[in-house]
Amino acid sequence: MQFKEIIGHDLVKAHLISTVRDNRVSHAQLFLGPEGSGSLALALAYAQLINCENKLEDDSCGQCASCRKYSKLIHPDLHFSYPFIAKHKDDHAATFMDNWRKAFLNNPYLGLENWRQQLDADNKQVNINIAEAHEIIKKLSLKSFEAEYKVLIMWLPEYLEKEGNALLKLIEEPPEKTLFLLVAENQDKILNTIISRTQLVKINKLSHQAITSYLTESKHLEESEAREIAFIADGNVQEAINMIDLHTNNHFELLVKWLRLAVQDSGLNIISICEDELAKLGRENQKTFLMYAINIMRQIVLIKQDLSSLVFLPAHELDFVNKFATHYTLEQIEETINLFETTHYSVERNANPKILFLDLSLQLVLMFKYKTFPKGTQYI
């Protein structure tokens, strides 16, 4: 993985490259960024640059023996740790290395749910167990095989829990030329004793334009389709990839039609659209549609807060959000976002879609038509 292959993050790349060039590589670093932002890919590109045998001015060479092994995730001095489902108490991350290579090489913007699918996790919980902590200590106590640095990339240390205490001494006083790169999404869920021993590398979510460019150039989507997917994905490349095969190009028309029926309290038509259109989208398309609706409502919030300069939408969508913002209060829009998020949660858990969307529609009717804010289902 080279920096040039990773979408955006020019400032982060420049900072990481400068630490290598100036010989200021910290032995323990925390790459903190939201899912799908590319933080895992950045950590790997950084490790590859550090061990590259013919470093370029702004990247690894990609051609030396070290880079070629890094590109296939088979370098003997590159180690990975990640959440998994232990079938036996002695299982550790290396047990699932073939799955990991396949998942990462297929998509370096990997999300936890997609990794769980590789493991056939069903409803089982993933974690990083004590056997893995002991295996890390064992591997890093050995001398390097061929590289200058031994590198451990730990993805999602949030799942380490109390087992992480076994690694504290190793992180604080590692063997010479040993590098820890922790890649996390939620700082609040990481042990404070680990955070205090690492140097933070903050990674922001990607811009809509960066994801749009990625989808048009790498996935060969039409500009309009790429722009809509990027808008819904909201900085998450994994989410954008998930949506490529879904039919998202009619979300705007469907949303406008549905909201119009709700504000008019058109009872029979509301039932019809819930049963004949929304319920028949399928679970993944329903989730995507709701995420699109949430993002549209967030743009309306920006406009109502006099932050229209932060709104980047195609003309027809911009016209809609401007008109909607003039007719309804901030409180109504914020409550709508809450309702959409609650419904999205229920869709993920396989709630009956006909009942779910009809219930949501009735709440929207009360809120937009009658300016009543429903709590629960006592109005049904």
Side-chain angles (χ1 to χ4, degrees):
M1 177 64 67
Q2 292 179 277
F3 284 121
K4 67 180 182 181
E5 301 174 56
I6 301 171
I7 307 167
H9 300 308
D10 292 339
L11 291 178
V12 175
K13 292 175 184 176
H15 163 71
L16 294 173
I17 292 166
S18 70
T19 64
V20 178
R21 186 172 55 243
D22 300 337
N23 197 26
R24 293 184 292 105
V25 177
S26 175
H27 73 271
Q29 301 183 44
L30 175 62
F31 286 64
L32 183 64
E35 179 185 289
S37 61
S39 50
L40 179 59
L42 284 166
L44 181 61
Y46 184 48
Q48 180 169 317
L49 173 62
I50 289 171
N51 280 324
C52 177
E53 297 168 5
N54 300 302
K55 297 178 179 63
L56 305 179
E57 184 65 24
D58 59 354
D59 212 338
S60 55
C61 72
Q63 302 297 324
C64 67
S66 176
C67 285
R68 290 199 302 271
K69 291 174 183 177
Y70 260 81
S71 68
K72 297 177 182 179
L73 308 188
I74 58 173
H75 197 292
D77 294 313
L78 172 65
H79 307 285
F80 287 96
S81 183
Y82 36 76
F84 56 89
I85 300 168
K87 298 178 181 178
H88 308 96
K89 66 177 183 178
D90 295 330
D91 282 350
H92 46 81
T95 308
F96 306 92
M97 192 62 200
D98 288 341
N99 302 73
W100 175 256
R101 286 195 186 98
K102 178 182 177 182
F104 180 86
L105 294 175
N106 182 57
N107 174 23
Y109 298 90
L110 186 68
L112 178 61
E113 189 56 37
N114 297 79
W115 170 234
R116 282 170 50 84
Q117 291 173 12
Q118 292 284 334
L119 298 173
D120 297 323
D122 296 325
N123 292 322
K124 298 176 182 177
Q125 296 295 317
V126 296
N127 74 331
I128 301 175
N129 61 10
I130 191 63
E132 171 63 5
H134 291 159
E135 183 68 15
I136 290 171
I137 295 171
K138 177 182 175 182
K139 287 188 292 190
L140 297 186
S141 66
L142 302 174
K143 291 184 177 180
S144 299
F145 283 88
E146 57 188 63
E148 181 181 5
Y149 279 86
K150 297 191 299 291
V151 179
L152 172 75
I153 298 178
M154 178 178 285
W155 184 54
L156 300 182
E158 297 95 316
Y159 291 85
L160 193 58
E161 299 182 349
K162 65 179 183 299
E163 287 81 2
N165 290 319
L167 299 174
L168 294 180
K169 181 173 178 58
L170 185 64
I171 293 175
E172 188 168 18
E173 299 177 7
E176 187 178 6
K177 299 292 185 178
T178 300
L179 181 62
F180 286 88
L181 302 179
L182 278 60
V183 181
E185 295 174 3
N186 191 336
Q187 184 173 343
D188 294 337
K189 293 184 178 180
I190 306 173
L191 293 172
N192 288 328
T193 48
I194 289 181
I195 293 175
S196 65
R197 289 165 169 78
T198 59
Q199 184 179 86
L200 179 64
V201 179
K202 186 72 172 68
I203 299 163
N204 296 320
K205 69 178 182 181
L206 290 160
S207 68
H208 291 177
Q209 185 54 51
I211 295 185
T212 299
S213 299
Y214 167 74
L215 294 175
T216 54
E217 294 168 11
S218 299
K219 301 299 182 180
H220 311 296
L221 299 186
E222 294 293 331
E223 178 77 19
S224 58
E225 184 181 6
R227 192 166 52 242
E228 182 170 5
I229 288 177
F231 175 72
I232 300 171
D234 193 27
N236 187 337
V237 177
Q238 176 65 76
E239 187 67 24
I241 292 172
N242 291 345
M243 289 188 289
I244 287 177
D245 296 329
L246 299 176
H247 302 292
T248 62
N249 55 5
N250 66 341
H251 283 346
F252 175 70
E253 290 79 7
L254 180 57
L255 177 63
V256 172
K257 177 182 177 182
W258 182 39
L259 290 176
R260 184 176 290 122
L261 294 175
V263 300
Q264 294 172 349
D265 190 11
S266 182
L268 292 177
N269 290 322
I270 288 175
I271 294 173
S272 177
I273 195 173
C274 288
E275 294 186 353
D276 299 334
E277 297 186 57
L278 294 172
K280 292 182 179 179
L281 285 175
R283 188 163 71 101
E284 293 304 317
N285 272 316
Q286 288 165 358
K287 288 163 58 179
T288 303
F289 172 73
L290 287 166
M291 286 306 303
Y292 174 80
I294 289 168
N295 283 330
I296 285 289
M297 290 297 157
R298 286 173 177 166
Q299 305 311 302
I300 296 172
V301 170
L302 291 175
I303 289 174
K304 294 195 73 67
Q305 299 280 30
D306 296 323
L307 296 171
S308 55
S309 60
L310 300 178
V311 178
F312 301 97
L313 292 173
H316 63 294
E317 294 179 351
L318 183 60
D319 180 61
F320 168 75
V321 298
N322 278 319
K323 290 178 179 177
F324 205 89
T326 61
H327 287 91
Y328 301 102
T329 67
L330 182 61
E331 186 181 10
Q332 287 172 306
I333 305 304
E334 289 177 339
E335 182 61 26
T336 300
I337 293 173
N338 291 335
L339 289 173
F340 287 164
E341 289 177 340
T342 301
T343 305
H344 184 279
Y345 179 88
S346 298
V347 169
E348 284 188 323
R349 280 144 187 81
N350 293 312
N352 184 300
K354 290 183 180 180
I355 296 174
L356 191 63
F357 280 100
L358 180 57
D359 176 66
L360 173 58
S361 299
L362 294 175
Q363 294 187 63
L364 294 177
V365 169
L366 286 176
M367 189 161 53
F368 289 125
K369 177 71 174 179
Y370 302 106
K371 298 181 175 58
T372 301
F373 293 85
K375 299 295 181 184
T377 56
Q378 68 274 12
Y379 58 90
I380 295 179

